[in-house]
Amino acid sequence: MHITHLSLTNFRNYGRLELALPQGPILLYGNNAQGKTNLLEAIYYLATTRSPHADNDAQLINWDAAQSEEPVVVGRLVANIATAQQTHQLEMRLIQEQKPTIARNRNFSFRRQALLDRRKVRLMDLLGAMRVVLFLPEDIQLLTGSPANRRRYMDITLCQIDPVYCRTLSNYNKVLEQRNAVLRQIAEEQTGRDVLPIFTEKLITLGSTVFLRRAKFLADLSRETQRIHYETLTEGRESIRLVYLPRLHVKRSKISPGSDPKPTELGDWLETHQGQSEIVTDRFAKLLQESLSTDIARGATTIGPHRDDWSFQLNGRSLGSFGSRGQQRTAILALKMGEINWMTNLTGERPILLLDEVVAELDEQRRTALLSSITETTQAILTATDPGMFTDTFLQQATRMEVENGRVNVM
Ligand SMILES: Nc1ncnc2c1ncn2[C@@H]1O[C@H](COP(=O)(O)OP(=O)(O)OP(=O)(O)O)[C@@H](O)[C@H]1O
Ligand SMILES: [Mg+2]
């Protein structure tokens, strides 16, 4: 699939942008702080309803527009896309809520409105219409950062493909909040334990689906990543795995002493029970029961997919803790290339690639591997301050666009 046209209004340093985009590789180049990353962010935001950089939507709105005397400031992002069979239009509006009377021009909040083919839809319904793979230099944090980073990656990636997962996860998070509120009320003796089972049962059903779908996702993605890493990037020298670490265990559990799978084996355990969700719900239920007094004391549910993690492993060791910087970079590159194949296998269509300044960080061999996979995709948008780092062959194939202070000039 590819974007045929992108239109931005009041988004970051783009006051107004109308841009036709061709198929094939597109190289966005220009000096620092001109709007290259902002353009990729806009596309990613439309595809996933999340920003990789901003903490809140207000940051996305053009500063000048936000300061203006307009009664209501609206940010607008529109992408027209074409797949092999059809075309779609995705739109996101960021509409300023009533201006605050005190502290004018500060702390505005924005309401989001999503449109698919000009019809209002839930934000969630936008997901999957335009599929992207984003590759940023800071993706190395998937190895070295917190579990929250890794869960976020898993959720955003899987939500682009699996609407059931996305809905289930959103419901799970709501029920989790409700259950935690009840746990706190029990601790403060404001309510009895009899209300808890309603929430616990819902949590178990929803949570088990999340566990199972994540296990399948990571197993499939691991196969693709491992193959690329082994065959293309390390010439058969190293073999990595993505290992799912679901929070479906407690220390010294009484469930089945002796035969209980180790935390690192739980992903495989879930894989072998794909069609038997009752075995998973049963385990989850027992563990919640075992940790009930801890959970009441803490006022929070300590077992469940909201505490999941996953890791890259090389010969049974975590690459995040033990890998060299170069090994870590190679693993991330393999993951991203694996993600492209994983999406293509599932949808029959290649996702749009968004690569922000990553080519500069790669050595010759890895750069060649990445660029050759790019030339196979339908559309890839790359940014660079210096087009000189690309090979002549690549530059001949790519459409070059210069980004200058919120404007894009096609060369
Ligand atoms: N809400 C906003 N309104 C207006 N300008 C903004 C807003 N948010 C960020 N900017 C500005 O947009 C400019 C371009 O940022 P961007 O990150 O896209 O640059 P870039 O071309 O990727 O540069 P680099 O090569 O340094 O990565 C920056 O100067 C930034 O301060
Ligand atoms: Mg940038």
Side-chain angles (χ1 to χ4, degrees):
M1 69 170 46
H2 72 284
I3 305 175
T4 52
H5 190 92
L6 181 71
S7 157
L8 301 177
T9 312
N10 296 334
F11 183 85
R12 295 278 196 189
N13 69 333
Y14 293 94
R16 194 93 183 86
L17 175 79
E18 295 294 339
L19 183 64
L21 292 166
Q23 291 193 35
I26 299 169
L27 179 61
L28 293 177
Y29 69 96
N31 292 335
N32 294 133
Q34 301 303 311
K36 301 184 295 295
T37 299
N38 292 348
L39 200 114
L40 297 190
E41 182 185 32
I43 295 171
Y44 185 79
Y45 188 79
L46 268 170
T48 65
T49 73
R50 313 270 199 114
S51 159
H53 306 293
D55 309 317
N56 61 60
D57 289 334
Q59 292 174 12
L60 303 175
I61 299 294
N62 180 260
W63 295 321
D64 295 336
Q67 307 269 326
S68 74
E69 292 300 314
E70 291 288 315
V72 181
V73 176
V74 180
R76 195 163 164 266
L77 299 83
V78 187
N80 290 79
I81 57 154
T83 68
Q85 285 88 30
Q86 44 197 338
T87 61
H88 287 294
Q89 187 183 68
L90 288 84
E91 177 169 349
M92 182 76 98
R93 294 179 188 157
L94 298 165
I95 305 161
Q96 192 181 56
E97 303 276 44
Q98 212 58 47
K99 284 198 175 189
T101 43
I102 331 167
R104 248 177 91 76
N105 292 339
R106 312 195 71 201
N107 301 326
F108 294 122
S109 61
F110 285 82
R111 180 167 59 83
R112 297 198 280 180
Q113 196 174 77
L115 291 92
L116 185 59
D117 297 327
R118 299 182 179 82
R119 276 210 208 106
K120 283 184 197 165
V121 293
R122 292 176 307 176
L123 286 188
M124 218 180 271
D125 297 329
L126 219 51
L127 299 173
M130 171 164 89
R131 289 179 296 272
V132 299
V133 170
L134 173 70
F135 191 4
L136 303 170
E138 57 264 38
D139 281 338
I140 199 95
Q141 284 168 12
L142 283 177
L143 280 148
T144 55
S146 70
N149 273 322
R150 286 183 286 276
R151 283 194 296 272
R152 191 182 141 88
Y153 166 77
M154 203 159 39
D155 293 341
I156 293 179
T157 310
L158 192 45
C159 272
Q160 289 198 60
I161 295 293
D162 185 350
V164 175
Y165 173 79
C166 211
R167 263 199 310 278
T168 310
L169 180 68
S170 154
N171 290 336
Y172 175 85
N173 287 329
K174 281 181 208 146
V175 174
L176 177 67
E177 247 176 62
Q178 292 164 343
R179 185 175 191 267
N180 288 347
V182 174
L183 288 170
R184 286 193 294 274
Q185 285 164 9
I186 294 172
E188 291 160 9
E189 296 183 350
Q190 290 168 7
T191 185
R193 291 188 181 204
D194 47 327
V195 284
L196 199 60
I198 312 165
F199 297 104
T200 305
E201 267 162 41
K202 280 192 205 160
L203 195 80
I204 292 167
T205 317
L206 295 164
S208 300
T209 304
V210 174
F211 277 135
L212 284 163
R213 297 214 170 201
R214 281 182 179 174
K216 172 101 177 65
F217 163 62
L218 280 176
D220 291 346
L221 184 60
S222 182
R223 268 188 291 279
E224 294 299 330
T225 304
Q226 182 173 36
R227 194 171 51 75
I228 290 164
H229 187 267
Y230 187 80
E231 288 174 9
T232 314
L233 299 176
T234 64
E235 289 162 337
R237 284 192 305 277
E238 289 179 357
S239 182
I240 53 165
R241 272 187 75 199
L242 308 182
V243 179
Y244 183 29
L245 303 166
R247 191 73 170 96
L248 193 54
H249 60 92
V250 287
K251 277 185 194 145
R252 288 185 294 278
S253 171
K254 292 184 231 103
I255 287 190
S256 49
S259 63
D260 206 37
K262 291 189 204 125
T264 48
E265 292 165 359
L266 278 168
D268 294 338
W269 181 84
L270 282 165
E271 258 300 87
T272 54
H273 292 102
Q274 274 304 323
Q276 303 152 287
S277 60
E278 65 290 346
I279 295 177
V280 178
T281 51
D282 197 39
R283 182 182 171 93
F284 192 16
K286 282 185 182 143
L287 288 169
L288 284 169
Q289 187 57 38
E290 273 188 40
S291 52
L292 186 59
S293 46
T294 318
D295 289 4
I296 291 173
R298 294 203 194 162
T301 307
T302 53
I303 308 292
H306 59 289
R307 304 281 298 271
D308 279 359
D309 198 359
W310 58 273
S311 84
F312 284 88
Q313 301 210 341
L314 176 64
N315 304 327
R317 286 206 181 82
S318 157
L319 259 183
S321 318
F322 298 105
S324 75
R325 193 79 180 163
Q327 280 177 317
Q328 293 181 345
R329 284 220 180 107
T330 306
I332 291 290
L333 176 61
L335 178 76
K336 290 291 151 180
M337 291 172 68
E339 201 180 316
I340 299 167
N341 289 358
W342 170 79
M343 271 196 197
T344 310
N345 293 345
L346 283 177
T347 64
E349 198 138 29
R350 288 184 168 272
I352 298 158
L353 303 192
L354 307 170
L355 300 113
D356 199 7
E357 303 279 348
V358 285
V359 176
E361 294 208 337
L362 302 171
D363 65 22
E364 188 81 31
Q365 183 202 359
R366 289 170 188 76
R367 191 179 292 185
T368 312
L370 179 64
L371 291 182
S372 71
S373 113
I374 285 173
T375 43
E376 283 169 19
T377 56
T378 321
Q379 190 175 51
I381 309 179
L382 298 86
T383 73
T385 38
D386 172 19
M389 73 179 66
F390 292 90
T391 58
D392 288 341
T393 335
F394 179 81
L395 289 174
Q396 274 158 17
Q397 292 174 11
T399 305
R400 283 203 247 176
M401 298 186 178
E402 190 186 10
V403 183
E404 197 181 1
N405 193 21
R407 289 177 198 288
V408 181
N409 309 310
V410 183
M411 304 315 277

